[in-house]
Amino acid sequence: MAENNTQNKAKLVSETRRRFEAEYVTDKSDKYDSRDIERLQQDDNWVENYLIWRHNVVDETLKMIDESFQWRKEFSVNDLNESSIPRWLLEIGGIYLHGYDKEGNKLFWIRVKYHIKDQKTIMDKKKLIAFWLERYAKRENGKPLTVMFDLSETGLNSIDMDFVRFIINCFKVYYPKYLSKIVIFDMPWIMNAAFKIVKSWLGPEAVSLLKFTSKNEIQDYVSAEYLPPHMGGTDPFKYSYPPLVDDDFQTPLCENGPITSEDETSSKEDIETDGKEALERVSNEEQTAILKKITPTEPTSKTDENEKVDSKVKAFKKPLSVFKGPLLHISPAEELYFGSAESGEKKTLIVLTNVTKNMVAFKVKTTAPEKYRVKPSNSSCDPGASVDIVVSPHGGLTVSAQDRFLIMAAEMEQSLSSGPTELAQFWKEVPRDKVMEHRLRCHNIESSKPNTLMLKDNISSLSDKAREDLYLQLNRLLESNRKLEDQLQHCIWVQQLLLALTVVLLFLVVSSFYSKYS
């Protein structure tokens, strides 16, 4: 069944591309940015986003793509950067990305009190919204956002329905699939009448995605660690510019987790220790089977034991999906899977493969340095070689979907040494545009669900070919499950858009009320 769904999706994607090229691009290519047309032909996920939002109706999908592409060219979305936005808008901190909700979705903050309705600046403010959304979309292809409308200390001159409608359209048409929900904080009671207008914009399916909150309810959606003090939170984050807020790594980063003082050369010892711990968790039957394979007279060297331990670790942790970057191939491609404490295996593996002809220096950073041990976190990789990085929660701490890892890589000249001192100096001098970056999310696997980490530990007796086939099948099942979850989120996204529109209408009603009676 899953295979049929995949085939149907592929057919719809192919048909959408063919018809868009034939019915919209021919003799009308000046309407669109050529880079968007090229991406549409290459990025299956982008096409699927539009199809899902239009319930796989190709005719409606084509209309949506047409409208979206015209808007992208009008706003020069592909060329938006910091220099495209007036500096004062970046400095004021009215719109930015920071933190995560309880479901692990990124928070898109809109501090309404910093917005003053002004026709002279409205286009720049719209470009700022587009700038942040495009920046996020390029990094997190398809992962939803939670919009945080902060109405605290908001006056009538901040209410701008045209601006709110634009924000809603961004999620409704231009960035389908990206909206998780809209959390509205501290809305004035006088704006309740505007809810009816917003409701008509959003439609009945999306209204449930609007979450009206105060200090008492806000933590139902966002934990205190990502809420500012005026919302009852404990987040010490203070927006400032420059530099531009890094939407994934705003807090100080630790490269080695809580073991920064340890020598990276000890990583081999760590792997051996980790392997021994894993072997201790193998059932008595497996241990007996292993012992039977070793004859009493057969000598077993220390090197052989280490190789068996090392292969054992890699056997149940080796990831399958691959991100193919210009310097490194990184596996897994998007998410680090950690087993639960109940399953007994919480460590995971990142595999880096150098695809260049030069040595590549790499660093691994995390948003939660107090939680994780990363070995090695700052080293180099020879041409064509691979490096295994072991990541494990420190001291039994819990893995969170909000945690992120950043892998940075840059080519080194052959004459440079790769010692700790030389690497430290190299990272100080390497130009920013020469650094490849890739981000990984964390995923904690429940022990009650079948997963590759648990099953791998129980099939060590299988042949390499059989084990590889089984791993591939399990990986396909996990991928299918994730896609089904994405589809459910997409269906909900319409409801979320409706909620956002409701907020905008509320703003307009309040402003008109005050204008009438002031």
Side-chain angles (χ1 to χ4, degrees):
M1 184 174 181
E3 185 176 350
N4 290 335
N5 289 336
T6 302
Q7 292 177 351
N8 290 336
K9 284 184 179 179
K11 290 179 180 179
L12 287 172
V13 169
S14 178
E15 181 183 356
T16 301
R17 285 172 171 160
R18 179 185 59 78
R19 288 188 55 187
F20 187 77
E21 187 76 24
E23 299 173 21
Y24 288 84
V25 176
T26 304
D27 299 329
K28 301 178 182 179
S29 58
D30 57 325
K31 291 171 52 180
Y32 315 123
D33 187 319
S34 59
R35 289 168 289 185
D36 290 332
I37 298 175
E38 181 179 357
R39 180 185 171 191
L40 189 75
Q41 297 299 328
Q42 298 176 353
D43 190 341
D44 290 352
N45 190 57
W46 204 25
V47 182
E48 286 181 12
N49 288 348
Y50 287 109
L51 282 166
I52 290 171
W53 180 236
R54 286 296 181 253
H55 305 287
N56 291 329
V57 178
V58 176
D59 287 340
E60 295 300 318
T61 300
L62 293 173
K63 294 177 183 178
M64 184 179 183
I65 295 174
D66 174 55
E67 181 181 350
S68 176
F69 279 19
Q70 289 189 59
W71 171 80
R72 290 178 64 85
K73 182 172 183 179
E74 177 187 355
F75 275 74
S76 301
V77 173
N78 288 312
D79 298 314
L80 282 178
N81 52 46
E82 291 177 63
S83 62
S84 308
I85 313 298
R87 185 183 176 94
W88 69 269
L89 271 179
L90 294 169
E91 290 176 339
I92 199 171
I95 300 169
Y96 56 89
L97 287 158
H98 172 70
Y100 302 88
D101 68 8
K102 288 189 172 181
E103 297 175 345
N105 299 314
K106 196 72 186 178
L107 299 180
F108 187 36
W109 291 87
I110 300 177
R111 305 289 303 279
V112 181
K113 72 174 184 178
Y114 293 123
H115 175 77
I116 305 300
K117 187 174 182 179
D118 183 1
Q119 290 302 317
K120 295 180 181 179
T121 62
I122 187 63
M123 182 56 69
D124 289 328
K125 293 171 183 175
K126 289 179 178 180
K127 285 186 176 181
L128 181 59
I129 292 286
F131 165 75
W132 275 115
L133 291 179
E134 184 70 9
R135 174 182 170 88
Y136 178 81
K138 287 179 178 178
R139 293 190 177 191
E140 300 281 356
N141 189 10
K143 187 165 179 62
L145 284 166
T146 290
V147 177
M148 297 290 288
F149 267 103
D150 182 3
L151 300 180
S152 57
E153 303 177 48
T154 299
L156 293 177
N157 58 348
S158 299
I159 300 172
D160 186 346
M161 293 304 290
D162 177 56
F163 188 53
V164 176
R165 185 188 288 270
F166 173 79
I167 295 172
I168 292 172
N169 279 338
C170 281
F171 287 104
K172 189 175 181 180
V173 181
Y174 313 140
Y175 293 91
K177 182 183 175 180
Y178 280 93
L179 184 62
S180 168
K181 56 184 162 291
I182 298 176
V183 179
I184 304 156
F185 178 77
D186 202 17
M187 187 183 75
W189 67 269
I190 196 71
M191 298 178 63
N192 288 337
F195 177 78
K196 293 182 179 179
I197 302 175
V198 176
K199 187 176 181 179
S200 66
W201 288 355
L202 296 174
E205 294 182 357
V207 171
S208 62
L209 298 180
L210 287 175
K211 311 297 180 183
F212 295 92
T213 63
S214 62
K215 277 188 179 181
N216 296 328
E217 300 91 19
I218 188 70
Q219 291 191 37
D220 291 344
Y221 308 103
V222 182
S223 60
E225 64 178 318
Y226 289 121
L227 291 175
H230 74 273
M231 289 185 173
T234 59
D235 189 357
F237 171 74
K238 300 291 184 182
Y239 180 91
S240 63
Y241 178 86
L244 191 67
V245 176
D246 188 334
D247 49 324
D248 266 335
F249 297 87
Q250 304 157 56
T251 53
L253 298 178
C254 177
E255 297 172 7
N256 296 326
I259 52 170
T260 54
S261 60
E262 296 186 18
D263 188 347
E264 292 295 339
T265 58
S266 65
S267 59
K268 182 178 179 181
E269 297 177 1
D270 285 348
I271 293 176
E272 292 174 1
T273 302
D274 295 339
K276 291 175 182 177
E277 292 174 355
L279 286 174
E280 290 174 0
R281 288 189 291 271
V282 180
S283 65
N284 292 332
E285 292 181 2
E286 286 178 302
Q287 291 183 22
T288 302
I290 292 173
L291 290 173
K292 287 181 179 178
K293 293 179 181 179
I294 303 177
T295 62
T297 58
E298 182 181 356
T300 303
S301 66
K302 181 68 176 178
T303 302
D304 292 338
E305 291 177 358
N306 289 342
E307 288 178 353
K308 289 178 181 179
V309 169
D310 186 65
S311 63
K312 176 69 177 178
V313 174
K314 293 181 180 179
F316 68 76
K317 289 184 180 178
K318 205 73 169 181
L320 296 174
S321 58
V322 180
F323 166 79
K324 297 183 178 181
L327 304 181
L328 296 175
H329 285 183
I330 301 172
S331 184
E334 296 181 355
E335 293 183 318
L336 290 177
Y337 285 86
F338 294 85
S340 66
E342 194 174 318
S343 70
E345 181 51 58
K346 298 190 70 174
K347 300 176 182 63
T348 191
L349 195 69
I350 303 174
V351 181
L352 307 182
T353 303
N354 185 349
V355 295
T356 72
K357 296 181 179 180
N358 298 316
M359 183 177 293
V360 171
F362 66 86
K363 296 172 73 172
V364 182
K365 296 185 176 183
T366 174
T367 55
E370 74 284 353
K371 284 188 180 182
Y372 299 97
R373 301 176 66 197
V374 181
K375 283 284 198 160
S377 66
N378 186 1
S379 188
S380 61
C381 185
D382 293 330
S386 295
V387 174
D388 293 347
I389 299 173
V390 178
V391 181
S392 58
H394 181 68
L397 295 174
T398 303
V399 174
S400 171
Q402 299 171 353
D403 300 335
R404 297 290 190 274
F405 283 83
L406 171 67
I407 298 171
M408 304 171 63
E411 276 189 284
M412 301 179 67
E413 296 179 5
Q414 294 182 354
S415 59
L416 293 179
S417 173
S418 58
T421 304
E422 291 79 8
L423 282 173
Q425 187 62 31
F426 171 78
W427 285 111
K428 290 180 181 179
E429 298 175 352
V430 64
R432 180 72 176 177
D433 60 355
K434 300 295 183 182
V435 178
M436 181 194 106
E437 294 186 353
H438 184 66
R439 289 161 171 76
L440 296 171
R441 301 186 292 270
C442 292
H443 188 96
N444 196 30
I445 302 176
E446 297 296 335
S447 61
S448 60
K449 299 178 181 179
N451 60 78
T452 56
L453 294 180
M454 294 172 61
L455 292 176
K456 287 177 185 177
D457 200 32
N458 294 321
I459 59 172
S460 58
S461 61
L462 293 178
S463 66
D464 291 341
K465 176 62 176 175
R467 186 185 297 116
E468 181 180 354
D469 291 342
L470 181 57
Y471 293 169
L472 290 173
Q473 292 177 20
L474 289 171
N475 189 59
R476 292 192 191 101
L477 288 173
L478 289 172
E479 290 293 335
S480 298
N481 184 55
R482 282 198 294 270
K483 289 182 178 180
L484 287 174
E485 291 177 352
D486 287 342
Q487 289 178 358
L488 289 175
Q489 291 178 348
H490 299 324
C491 294
I492 294 173
W493 137 212
V494 175
Q495 298 175 336
Q496 297 170 333
L497 288 177
L498 294 174
L499 291 175
L501 289 171
T502 302
V503 174
V504 175
L505 289 174
L506 289 175
F507 291 155
L508 291 176
V509 170
V510 173
S511 60
S512 62
F513 179 89
Y514 276 110
S515 299
K516 183 177 180 180
Y517 294 101
S518 60

